[in-house]
Amino acid sequence: MLEVTVYSFSYKKGIPEDLSGNGGGFVFDCRAIHNPGRYEQYKSLTGLDAPVISFLEEDGEITSYLEHVNALVGNAVQRYKDRDFTNLQVSFGCTGGQHRSVYCAQHLAEYLHNKFNVKVNLTHREQNIKQTLNPVL
């Protein structure tokens, strides 16, 4: 069964290592998206918090970004499943690994789990949060 590992991370601390032995996967740069971390009211929050989510979704920029990511990664996931591959890694980086990358990693993980019924290991590295979304058997 395919397991997808999804990370959010800070570019300042480096791209996450692929522990599967396959040598990596997709790495998406979220730094071009408007940064809520530049505003005092969002500095102590993350991309999992409602005010940050609202900020990011307000102009539709992040939604459009994720539509493209979902299409690209979704195609790969389907092909990996068809070919009985066992691992795929997807990482989202931003400046601090707190807002934009966290939002994107969380949303992609939920999308892949719901659409493809795959196991997703989600790590928000800089937030020290790990979550596993298990497939429904």
Side-chain angles (χ1 to χ4, degrees):
M1 175 169 289
L2 178 64
E3 285 189 31
V4 182
T5 302
V6 179
Y7 282 97
S8 65
F9 71 95
S10 166
Y11 273 104
K12 292 178 182 179
K13 296 183 179 178
I15 297 170
E17 180 182 358
D18 179 4
L19 301 176
S20 74
N22 293 325
F26 292 100
V27 179
F28 294 101
D29 187 344
C30 301
R31 292 175 291 185
I33 297 166
H34 192 183
N35 185 4
R38 302 186 94 181
Y39 303 94
E40 195 60 44
Q41 67 266 36
Y42 304 119
K43 284 187 178 183
S44 65
L45 303 176
T46 75
L48 302 176
D49 294 310
V52 173
I53 292 168
S54 294
F55 175 92
L56 288 168
E57 292 177 349
E58 188 174 294
D59 65 3
E61 178 183 21
I62 204 158
T63 304
S64 175
Y65 179 85
L66 280 175
E67 285 173 3
H68 295 288
V69 169
N70 290 349
L72 183 64
V73 175
N75 183 60
V77 166
Q78 187 59 60
R79 293 291 294 140
Y80 275 39
K81 285 181 69 171
D82 293 346
R83 296 175 65 198
D84 295 322
F85 287 11
T86 56
N87 299 93
L88 174 63
Q89 181 168 307
V90 183
S91 302
F92 290 92
C94 64
T95 306
Q98 182 176 338
H99 300 100
R100 298 164 292 180
S101 63
V102 168
Y103 175 97
C104 289
Q106 187 73 37
H107 280 76
L108 179 70
E110 292 170 3
Y111 168 78
L112 295 176
H113 176 256
N114 293 332
K115 178 159 182 159
F116 297 99
N117 195 36
V118 294
K119 180 177 182 181
V120 180
N121 299 306
L122 173 62
T123 301
H124 299 299
R125 188 178 74 185
E126 316 319 342
Q127 305 309 309
N128 200 29
I129 297 171
K130 293 185 178 189
Q131 180 181 6
T132 300
L133 306 173
N134 285 306
V136 178
L137 299 176

